[in-house]
Amino acid sequence: MSGLPFPGIGIVFDIDALGGSYYGYQAWRIFMKRMPQARIRNTVLKEGDTRETLAGAANEFCIAVYGPLLNPEHVRQAFESLADKGLAPVERRFIMKPPLDGEPLPVRGRIDIHGHFVTDEWMRVDHDLCKEAHWKYRPAKVPAELPEHLQSELKKMME
């Protein structure tokens, strides 16, 4: 539940505005569309409902970015002026350190030094999100029975 010893910033999303169901997927769609991988290389990505949400005081989801070379201000600038449906109001849109470190956000994956979204294992949702956002994707473990068309797509995303 603690943060990482690097600079970090959390982007907050309004679960109701995301449509309620599949809100995490919708938040990732916005995040990936608006945040180029090249700007967040060598980072860890965390996600989850905020502490206030879990306590029943809010209805928000957070995607956090941590990295030794991360400039949180660049991430803030990428999301500050956006009007995408699903982003929290500007006054609640960001969680900075040290409060960010207290958020109960599990690791979702990381962006490696080459700009690939790296996860422990291949998941269709990550595959589809990366494909839609034109993100590079490199899961550590890929199912042997992955259909050929998905293998082909994955091979392109891994380049």
Side-chain angles (χ1 to χ4, degrees), residues 5-80:
F6 308 123
I9 182 172
I11 310 303
V12 179
F13 298 84
D14 180 321
I15 290 172
D16 293 326
L18 290 170
S21 61
Y22 305 110
Y23 62 88
Y25 180 82
Q26 296 303 328
W28 278 99
R29 284 182 78 204
I30 294 168
F31 180 83
M32 293 170 91
K33 176 176 138 187
R34 299 299 192 166
M35 189 78 260
Q37 282 175 297
R39 305 266 337 245
I40 55 171
R41 288 180 185 203
N42 197 27
T43 58
V44 173
L45 302 175
K46 299 175 89 177
E47 67 165 2
D49 293 350
T50 63
R51 180 192 310 229
E52 286 188 22
T53 299
L54 296 174
N59 202 18
E60 298 171 334
F61 181 81
C62 180
I63 296 174
V65 184
Y66 285 90
L69 304 175
L70 178 72
N71 183 338
E73 194 54 35
H74 286 158
V75 177
R76 176 191 278 276
Q77 289 170 359
F79 288 93
E80 202 164 38

Side-chain angles (χ1 to χ4, degrees), residues 140-152:
K141 186 175 164 186
V142 179
E145 68 279 358
L146 195 65
E148 197 171 314
H149 74 283
L150 293 175
Q151 287 181 31
S152 176

Side-chain angles (χ1 to χ4, degrees), residues 114 116 136-138 152 154-159:
H114 305 290
H116 291 89
K136 297 175 183 179
Y137 181 40
R138 188 178 296 274
S152 176
L154 180 60
K155 184 177 179 184
K156 289 177 185 170
M157 286 189 277
M158 291 176 80
E159 294 174 351

Side-chain angles (χ1 to χ4, degrees), residues 82-155:
L82 297 178
D84 295 43
K85 183 179 178 186
L87 284 167
V90 175
E91 64 275 5
R92 293 194 52 82
R93 188 169 295 173
F94 305 101
I95 304 174
M96 306 301 289
K97 287 182 71 119
L100 179 62
D101 292 338
E103 292 293 334
L105 308 174
V107 172
R108 170 76 182 262
R110 63 186 178 86
I111 305 293
D112 68 15
I113 198 72
H114 305 290
H116 291 89
F117 180 50
V118 178
T119 58
D120 289 339
E121 59 185 84
W122 181 89
M123 290 180 53
R124 180 66 188 253
V125 66
D126 293 331
H127 181 104
D128 290 347
L129 283 166
C130 288
K131 180 180 171 187
E132 180 181 343
H134 305 289
W135 271 32
K136 297 175 183 179
Y137 181 40
R138 188 178 296 274
K141 186 175 164 186
V142 179
E145 68 279 358
L146 195 65
E148 197 171 314
H149 74 283
L150 293 175
Q151 287 181 31
S152 176
E153 289 176 0
L154 180 60
K155 184 177 179 184

